[in-house]
Amino acid sequence: MLFKGIGHFFLDLRIFIWDAWLTLLNVVLPRLPSRARGIDSEDGSLWPEYVPPKEGDSRCSCPALNALANHGILPHDGKNVKFTEITDKVHETFNFAVTFATYVSRNGADTLGKDYNKDTCNLSDLDKHNGIEHDASLLRQDAYFSKSQGQPHIPYIEELLALASSTDSNDKKVLTVADLSKFSSKRRADSRRENPQFQLDDTHKIFGSANSSTLLAIFGGKVDDLEIFLKEERIPERWESTARSRKGLTFIAFNPTTFKVEHGIDEKPYEKEEGKKGEKA
């Protein structure tokens, strides 16, 4: 165990040094041209055909991985998926840096006690509670209330998107860091109050804020695209990642958004709001 721990430490160190190098390269290299990262299907469209999951297909709490399976970028049944394949397809489709995609996929393998380089998983395996899946998700009910995390909880998604407080150059609604912090605050307060088995340690708090930050980093917070992506777990037609750095979105470039979202989370207003409701009743 000690050897494995030391080995993981040096592997993580190598990834973060590599990430720093990619971040520097992104400063000097030109940004990606439009459509450069698209995965073309046979008919020439930007993404392979979307096919909803059928009964027996494996899905998880991550809309990005589910979307990859729904488009056949990962195996459509979501079964026997190589961890290394997850890394490659997440990088190619969403333009996360290879370092970012590798670290997250390897963390999933470690959570399941599997070998990242050799083993496979079903997508639903990734929903081991308090592994990657956690309470107070913005898109799913807590595991206490819903044993299957493969389906998005539409009321949460609609509530989140309704909070969009900004607009883009085309006057289309856009989510902001403050919007994500606000909804995260409410979800944590609600979950803490309603879920008798509620757990959310500091690691999962940061992980939750990182997950929500991808809605800004990869989708630019655009509500029209997010509504399709989050509700249907489908990549919008002709969509491209808003992360256009040549070497992809690195940890160093991404983490400031995560910390801003987490720093802005404050459950107290929602605790007081619930208290006032109780007093009126």
Side-chain angles (χ1 to χ4, degrees):
M1 290 296 292
L2 178 61
F3 176 78
K4 183 177 180 181
I6 293 173
H8 273 62
F9 170 78
F10 283 109
L11 183 56
D12 287 347
L13 181 62
R14 189 187 71 146
I15 287 176
F16 290 127
I17 292 173
W18 183 15
D19 192 76
W21 172 241
L22 294 182
T23 302
L24 289 174
L25 287 176
N26 280 336
V27 173
V28 298
L29 293 176
R31 291 167 66 82
L32 290 170
S34 180
R35 298 177 64 88
R37 289 284 180 177
I39 300 174
D40 293 337
S41 58
E42 292 181 0
D43 63 4
S45 61
L46 191 55
W47 304 107
E49 181 184 3
Y50 168 79
V51 179
K54 64 180 185 300
E55 185 176 355
D57 286 346
S58 184
R59 295 294 185 267
C60 63
S61 55
C62 176
L65 295 184
N66 290 347
L68 292 180
N70 290 340
H71 284 273
I73 297 170
L74 289 176
H76 187 272
D77 65 3
K79 297 179 180 179
N80 299 312
V81 184
K82 295 179 180 178
F83 290 102
T84 53
E85 185 178 14
I86 291 175
T87 294
D88 292 342
K89 299 309 181 184
V90 166
H91 167 61
E92 293 171 2
T93 304
F94 300 108
N95 198 31
F96 283 104
V98 174
T99 47
F100 201 137
T102 299
Y103 182 84
V104 173
S105 183
R106 186 167 63 81
N107 185 59
D110 290 345
T111 298
L112 298 177
K114 295 194 173 187
D115 186 314
Y116 166 77
N117 292 298
K118 299 177 181 178
D119 290 339
T120 66
C121 69
N122 296 341
L123 293 184
S124 60
D125 295 342
L126 298 172
D127 285 337
K128 178 181 178 182
H129 188 51
N130 286 330
I132 293 175
E133 184 274 333
H134 57 84
D135 288 336
S137 164
L138 303 194
L139 309 176
R140 261 69 175 174
Q141 291 181 299
D142 290 355
Y144 178 81
F145 300 109
S146 176
K147 299 308 178 185
S148 174
Q149 296 293 307
Q151 293 290 327
H153 189 60
I154 302 302
Y156 288 165
I157 295 170
E158 291 179 342
E159 187 174 0
L160 168 63
L161 298 181
L163 290 175
S165 61
S166 186
T167 56
D168 61 15
S169 58
N170 296 316
D171 204 31
K172 298 289 186 179
K173 289 185 177 181
V174 173
L175 286 169
T176 66
V177 165
D179 300 331
L180 292 176
S181 295
K182 183 176 182 179
F183 192 55
S184 295
S185 301
K186 184 176 186 301
R187 283 290 300 122
R188 290 184 188 180
D190 288 350
S191 184
R192 189 182 304 278
R193 182 178 58 255
E194 298 167 0
N195 181 355
Q197 297 180 2
F198 176 79
Q199 297 180 56
L200 193 68
D201 59 23
D202 289 343
T203 297
H204 285 97
K205 285 179 180 179
I206 295 296
F207 189 71
S209 290
N211 286 339
S212 62
S213 295
T214 62
L215 305 183
L216 304 182
I218 301 299
F219 282 85
K222 297 179 180 180
V223 169
D224 286 350
D225 287 340
L226 288 172
E227 185 164 21
I228 294 170
F229 178 70
L230 297 179
K231 287 185 177 181
E232 301 178 41
E233 298 186 327
R234 172 168 66 89
I235 301 175
E237 186 178 355
R238 301 185 68 79
W239 174 86
E240 293 178 297
S241 174
T242 54
R244 308 306 298 165
S245 297
R246 176 67 59 168
K247 294 299 181 178
L249 180 65
T250 63
F251 279 113
I252 291 174
F254 178 73
N255 282 342
T257 303
T258 296
F259 294 137
K260 286 178 184 177
V261 171
E262 182 62 31
H263 181 72
I265 294 175
D266 181 8
E267 297 180 37
K268 291 181 180 178
Y270 299 97
E271 293 170 353
K272 293 178 181 178
E273 184 178 291
E274 184 63 23
K276 290 179 180 179
K277 289 179 183 177
E279 291 174 8
K280 290 179 181 179

